[in-house]
Every structure is written in structure tokens, then in C-alpha cells.
Amino acid sequence: MKILLAPSERKTLGGNFPPISKNSFIFPEIYEKRKEAVKKYDEFLKTTDDIKNFGDDKTSVFERPVKKAVLRYSGVAFEHMKYEELDKSAQKWIDENVYIFSNLFGVISAGDLIPHYTLKQGSKPGFDIYSYYKEVFSPVLEKINESEPFIDLRAKFYEKIYKPKNAITFKFIKNGKVVSHFAKAYRGKLSAVISKHRPETIEDVLKIPFEDIKIIEIQEKKGVKEIVCEVF
């Protein structure tokens, strides 16, 4: 199974490895397509003064040092995943099976090597990067999804790039109300727990003893199971 996660705007600086190359990412067969989008972003940085959405670093993305994506992103979900506290086998599972929908790089694995960058959700670096990546990644992901269900923990926004047909989603309820912002924390916690149990089917997921979460209902629509949970 694969977990689908949103990226975070907050990121750590620095990097331990040389700049990006074809070997930095999953799906090497579409690296040139990914590279094309990043080049357009690179060129756009030279022309924009929009620091809020694109940052103030004018260094070429292709010259910046890189680190694992799961360590680059440092938002709420990644904080609560506590990747560095997991054992090596759980970390390896996350590296290979958590797909992050980067605003700049498209669909990457948690173990892919990426530089620090700024591209706020929904911003367009001179072109519609989300429509572009939808065309690039949808066929790749659909092929995987035919044989593997996805655990979709993303924000709805990233369905602009890809929406699975065979998936599980989670809705978190607390005191009778849907949890919104803090749902990111539960997504991170779920990712960590799932990495320890490494389920292969939806039925396996339902057997996992999640902490602080009680499954109260399962709804299904068009192949997607929504697990409604009460959180404590």
C-alpha cells in the first residue's frame, strides 16, 4: 500500500547531498518531464519579486544541496510522524511507500532527495504546474493503484494532480465536530503507525490498533472508503 501525503510550506534548510539529478527521484522514466517543470520555475524566479509565494532565494534549484523529502518538510504532519524516532525498517517503509505531492517537484517519495524551495500551494510559477503534473503523473499512479490501494491523507487540493479510484481516506471527529487544522497531526501519527504494521490490504489497515483513535463508521463511494474516526 502507498500513503499519499501533502507537502508542508515549512521546510528545513541545508542538505547533505549534491544537487538534484535523475537519481534523486522515483519514476526516473519521467524525470525529463519533471526537470522541464523545475526549469520553468527556475526561470520564473529570475523575474518575480513575489517573495510571499516564491521566496527570495534566486539560486538555481539545480545548484542547491538536497536531503530526504521526509526530513526537508517540517510542518505539523511531519512533526507528528517523528520519522527520526522510528526504527530502520519503519523508516525504510516510509521512504519507499509514502508519496508526497510536492508543489514544485510533483509526486515524490519520502526518500527522494530535494532542495529547499518556496512555492506556496496554488501559486503558478508562470504556468499551471498542477495541470502539467496531472498529465505527467496520473497514468503512472493509476497503474500502481490498479494493484495497490492508496491511503489518501492529503488535503483535497492535491486531487488537482491525482484522485485515486481505489483508496482509503480518514475523517477525524472530536466532540462531534470535524477536526480541520489539527487533522494534519493525526495524518502524521497515522503514517508512523502504519509504517510499523505495513498493511497490504484495506482489511489489514482496519486491524491496526491506532492510539487515540476509534473507528466509528466506514462509508464507501466509488471505490473509496472513508473511515470516520473519533479522536481523543
Side-chain angles (χ1 to χ4, degrees):
M1 297 188 80
K2 300 290 186 286
I3 293 176
L4 310 183
L5 272 185
S8 66
E9 290 186 0
R10 194 167 76 232
K11 303 173 187 72
T12 59
L13 298 172
N16 328 62
F17 300 97
I20 59 171
S21 69
K22 187 175 183 178
N23 296 326
S24 302
F25 301 99
I26 52 171
F27 311 136
E29 68 275 12
I30 51 88
Y31 175 68
E32 291 303 319
K33 292 286 188 181
R34 198 193 300 268
K35 184 178 177 181
E36 184 179 334
V38 178
K39 276 186 174 180
K40 288 182 179 180
Y41 170 84
D42 231 19
E43 290 300 315
F44 182 79
L45 285 184
K46 299 174 184 177
T47 66
T48 184
D49 295 320
D50 186 353
I51 294 174
K52 179 181 177 182
N53 291 310
F54 302 99
D56 58 0
D57 187 352
K58 301 296 184 180
T59 309
S60 170
V61 175
F62 296 96
E63 296 175 0
R64 302 177 190 180
V66 300
K67 66 170 67 171
K68 274 187 185 182
V70 71
L71 299 176
R72 175 69 68 195
Y73 295 111
S74 57
V76 175
F78 295 90
E79 280 184 339
H80 285 80
M81 186 188 295
K82 298 182 179 178
Y83 174 85
E84 293 181 286
E85 296 179 18
L86 298 171
D87 63 37
K88 295 297 182 184
S89 62
Q91 288 182 352
K92 184 175 186 296
W93 191 91
I94 285 175
D95 288 351
E96 296 173 354
N97 295 285
V98 171
Y99 288 174
I100 302 169
F101 281 63
S102 164
N103 293 315
L104 177 57
F105 297 104
V107 184
I108 60 177
S109 75
D112 282 357
L113 302 173
I114 63 169
H116 184 277
Y117 69 91
T118 302
L119 178 55
K120 292 228 173 177
Q121 178 183 298
S123 298
K124 296 178 181 179
F127 71 109
D128 188 344
I129 196 168
Y130 300 98
S131 294
Y132 177 84
Y133 277 143
K134 181 178 182 179
E135 290 185 14
V136 172
F137 287 104
S138 286
V140 178
L141 294 174
E142 283 173 1
K143 187 173 181 180
I144 298 171
N145 195 218
E146 285 175 2
S147 58
E148 290 187 61
F150 291 161
I151 302 171
D152 192 352
L153 302 180
R154 302 170 300 166
K156 288 286 186 183
F157 176 86
Y158 292 95
E159 291 182 357
K160 287 176 177 286
I161 297 177
Y162 173 69
K163 186 174 182 178
K165 298 175 182 177
N166 178 19
I168 303 172
T169 63
F170 283 81
K171 180 189 286 186
F172 305 105
I173 307 291
K174 187 171 185 178
N175 299 325
K177 297 181 180 179
V178 176
V179 176
S180 53
H181 177 72
F182 205 69
K184 296 177 181 179
Y186 288 108
R187 290 168 186 154
K189 290 181 178 181
L190 280 175
S191 298
V193 173
I194 290 167
S195 74
K196 297 173 183 177
H197 292 269
R198 298 184 274 282
E200 295 183 2
T201 66
I202 292 174
E203 288 70 26
D204 291 340
V205 173
L206 297 175
K207 294 175 184 176
I208 295 174
F210 296 112
E211 293 183 11
D212 304 327
I213 292 176
K214 178 183 178 183
I215 297 174
I216 56 177
E217 186 180 3
I218 301 173
Q219 302 174 349
E220 183 168 357
K221 186 177 181 180
K222 295 182 179 179
V224 177
K225 286 185 170 65
E226 181 179 66
I227 301 176
V228 183
C229 304
E230 185 176 5
V231 297
F232 304 99

